[in-house]
């Protein structure tokens, strides 16, 4: 085991060496533009993209033509939400989201309100879940889109996506899910889930940064949206621009590895996560685990250390990479909106750490983290007691 120990795999993951092996030749030898149809360099690049499309589609139970490549989940979310809003599909102006969505959804929804759309933001329970009945009650005759994440990026809670999708299908409302944290960690089947659109990224499942995808249902119903980017008509006119062939090929390989190895990896990572949580609960008095106790991602642990600032803990243990919330919100001094939404006080939200494990996490690293976090938390607790003036 070496330090520092990386336990921030919600933010990004190490690229699998097998993925790198696929990508490198497409940077140095087969470096053609996939849109160049006149020569072998372009043909080889296009073949690499289409193989990746098949591999990504197979992972989520889709058809290859239903996968649109983007630069990442944030772009996919923007394309889904703004594209549906601009298309007028459904001819309404009402969108439903949850309070615990990623900033990509929250900020896109806020942008749409400037153009006359109304947004209903659903509350979550103390575990971070939205129930199907709440979704059903929020749908109005003007609702054109329900947008709820499959798995929360901070506390790991899983929404009952299949049931929520069934509600939307029954009501004739399009359903988009941000599955960025779910794909590669739990089984995903777009048909069984009743989703019309789904966003996800390669770099959350040991693929490269700069490659993402948007699933668009091709039939019953066929989803039509207006593109965000014009100019060239790439990706069937839905996402113009020269394709990042090495990253897309790497995305495909990452998807193929996950499809074959996810069950084994998830079981091993879940056991390590449980070992981490049990060790910290035994070693640090008064801490609490956030999120749903059962319906949660296998690699996630979000823990509140009451009375200890998360920033102080991270500064004191620079040999362990963890986070206090979403990597997309680290510039904000405000407490996590997710933790506040599930009922934590401002102080407790600022006293919470997120631990994210991966395929490459090992038992030695977990045991080191247990000892290091326990030591640090106890030291900060003792310091806090000494700083309290006597009555």
């Amino acid at each position: 085991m070496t330090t520092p120990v990386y336990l921030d795999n919600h933010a990004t993951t190490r690229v699998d060496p097998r993925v790198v092996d696929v990508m490198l030749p497409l940077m140095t030898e087969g470096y053609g533009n996939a849109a160049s149809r006149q020569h072998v360099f372009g043909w080889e690049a296009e073949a690499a993209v289409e193989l990746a499309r098949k591999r990504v589609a197979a992972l989520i139970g889709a058809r290859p033509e239903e996968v649109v490549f983007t630069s990442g989940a944030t772009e996919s979310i923007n394309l889904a939400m703004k594209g549906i809003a601009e298309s007028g599909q459904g001819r309404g102006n009402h969108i439903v989201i949850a309070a615990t969505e990623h900033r990509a959804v929250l900020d896109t929804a806020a942008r749409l309100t400037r153009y006359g759309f109304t947004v209903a933001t659903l509350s979550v329970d103390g575990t971070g879940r939205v129930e199907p009945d709440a979704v059903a009650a929020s749908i109005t005759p003007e609702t054109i889109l329900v947008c709820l994440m499959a798995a929360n990026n901070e506390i790991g809670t899983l929404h009952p996506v299949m049931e929520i999708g069934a509600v939307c299908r029954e009501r004739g409302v399009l359903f988009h899910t941000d599955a960025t944290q779910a794909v590669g960690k739990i089984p995903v089947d777009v048909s069984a889930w009743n989703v019309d659109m789904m966003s996800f990224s390669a770099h959350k499942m040991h693929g490269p940064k700069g490659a993402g995808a948007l699933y668009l249902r091709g039939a019953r119903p066929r989803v039509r949206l207006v593109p965000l980017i014009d100019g060239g008509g790439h990706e069937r006119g839905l996402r113009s621009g020269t394709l990042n062939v090495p990253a897309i090929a790497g995305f495909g390989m990452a998807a193929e590895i996950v499809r074959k190895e996810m069950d084994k990896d998830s079981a091993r990572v879940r056991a390590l996560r449980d070992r981490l949580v049990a060790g910290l609960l035994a070693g640090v008095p008064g801490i609490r685990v956030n999120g749903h106790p059962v319906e949660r991602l296998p690699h996630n642990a979000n823990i509140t250390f009451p009375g200890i600032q998360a920033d102080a803990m991270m500064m004191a243990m620079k040999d362990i990479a963890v986070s206090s919330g979403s990597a997309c919100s680290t510039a904000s001094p405000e407490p996590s909106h997710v933790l506040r939404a599930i009922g934590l006080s401002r102080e407790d939200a600022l006293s919470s750490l997120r631990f994210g494990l991966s395929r490459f996490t090992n038992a030695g690293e977990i045991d080191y983290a247990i000892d290091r976090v326990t030591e640090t938390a106890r030291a900060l607790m003792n310091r806090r007691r000494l700083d309290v003036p006597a009555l």
Side-chain angles (χ1 to χ4, degrees):
M1 196 211 83
T2 59
T3 57
V5 172
Y6 186 75
L7 294 176
D8 195 20
N9 285 283
H10 300 80
T12 197
T13 58
R14 171 187 165 189
V15 179
D16 192 293
R18 292 168 288 181
V19 171
V20 176
D21 288 344
V22 168
M23 294 176 63
L24 284 177
L26 294 167
M27 298 178 185
T28 58
E29 300 167 16
Y31 49 81
N33 186 326
S36 297
R37 305 290 173 81
Q38 301 83 18
H39 51 69
V40 67
F41 288 88
W43 303 334
E44 290 176 347
E46 183 182 27
V49 168
E50 295 313 312
L51 175 59
R53 201 184 307 275
K54 290 177 182 177
R55 286 172 162 175
V56 170
L59 177 61
I60 62 172
R63 300 197 307 272
E65 61 269 22
E66 295 176 312
V67 173
V68 177
F69 286 122
T70 67
S71 64
T74 294
E75 183 188 337
S76 296
I77 289 165
N78 274 261
L79 175 57
M81 296 180 70
K82 294 175 181 175
I84 288 298
E86 190 173 343
S87 75
Q89 187 164 328
R91 295 184 295 279
N93 68 343
H94 182 245
I95 297 169
V96 178
I97 64 173
T100 52
E101 295 297 314
H102 189 276
R103 294 305 325 179
V105 170
L106 296 176
D107 291 351
T108 302
R111 174 65 63 90
L112 289 173
T113 63
R114 302 178 196 174
Y115 299 99
F117 290 86
T118 60
V119 177
T121 303
L122 302 180
S123 299
V124 296
D125 64 20
T127 70
R129 275 166 68 95
V130 170
E131 295 302 327
D133 287 347
V135 176
S138 71
I139 293 174
T140 76
E142 296 299 313
T143 305
I144 60 170
L145 180 65
V146 171
C147 188
L148 297 173
M149 65 187 353
N152 190 267
N153 56 303
E154 294 190 32
I155 58 175
T157 294
L158 305 176
H159 282 319
V161 176
M162 185 184 302
E163 293 82 357
I164 290 170
V167 167
C168 295
R169 187 64 51 83
E170 181 182 341
R171 300 295 184 90
V173 174
L174 293 175
F175 178 39
H176 166 265
T177 187
D178 169 12
T180 308
Q181 295 291 343
V183 175
K185 310 301 190 306
I186 61 173
V188 172
D189 187 309
V190 291
S191 295
W193 279 15
N194 299 299
V195 298
D196 301 298
M197 297 179 287
M198 187 173 77
S199 299
F200 53 110
S201 274
H203 77 104
K204 305 293 188 179
M205 56 183 199
H206 302 291
K209 299 171 183 66
L214 175 64
Y215 159 77
L216 289 175
R217 183 176 293 280
R220 299 187 305 274
R222 180 182 178 187
V223 180
R224 301 177 185 274
L225 46 73
V226 175
L228 295 179
I229 302 172
D230 298 309
H234 305 78
E235 291 299 277
R236 303 189 309 282
L238 291 169
R239 204 276 185 180
S240 292
T242 301
L243 293 177
N244 185 348
V245 176
I248 289 171
F251 190 1
M253 188 60 187
E256 182 72 1
I257 294 169
V258 163
R259 189 177 65 82
K260 294 178 178 178
E261 301 180 4
M262 181 176 63
D263 290 347
K264 177 187 67 176
D265 283 347
S266 291
R268 190 187 69 84
V269 169
R270 182 181 291 107
L272 289 176
R273 188 273 314 276
D274 292 346
R275 179 171 176 166
L276 171 67
V277 171
L280 293 178
L281 287 172
V284 186
I287 66 174
R288 302 188 300 272
V289 180
N290 301 309
H292 199 282
V294 178
E295 298 297 328
R296 65 182 304 119
L297 292 169
H299 70 303
N300 168 274
N302 188 294
I303 299 177
T304 298
F305 297 79
I308 307 174
Q309 289 286 308
D311 286 350
M313 287 193 67
M314 290 187 290
M315 288 296 292
M317 49 182 198
K318 294 182 180 179
D319 50 348
I320 298 180
V322 294
S323 69
S324 57
S326 170
C328 298
S329 302
T330 52
S332 172
E334 293 302 309
S336 160
H337 70 281
V338 173
L339 298 179
R340 296 288 278 145
I342 64 172
L344 269 66
S345 68
R346 177 184 173 86
E347 181 181 11
D348 279 352
L350 290 170
S351 299
S352 301
L353 290 178
R354 180 182 69 173
F355 299 83
L357 288 65
S358 85
R359 174 185 304 156
F360 297 109
T361 305
N362 63 54
E365 291 173 325
I366 292 301
D367 291 341
Y368 181 84
I370 291 170
D371 291 343
R372 192 76 176 88
V373 174
T374 298
E375 173 190 34
T376 302
R378 284 180 170 274
L380 291 172
M381 284 178 176
N382 290 335
R383 184 183 305 170
R384 185 169 179 267
R385 292 191 191 101
L386 292 172
D387 288 342
V388 175
L391 296 177

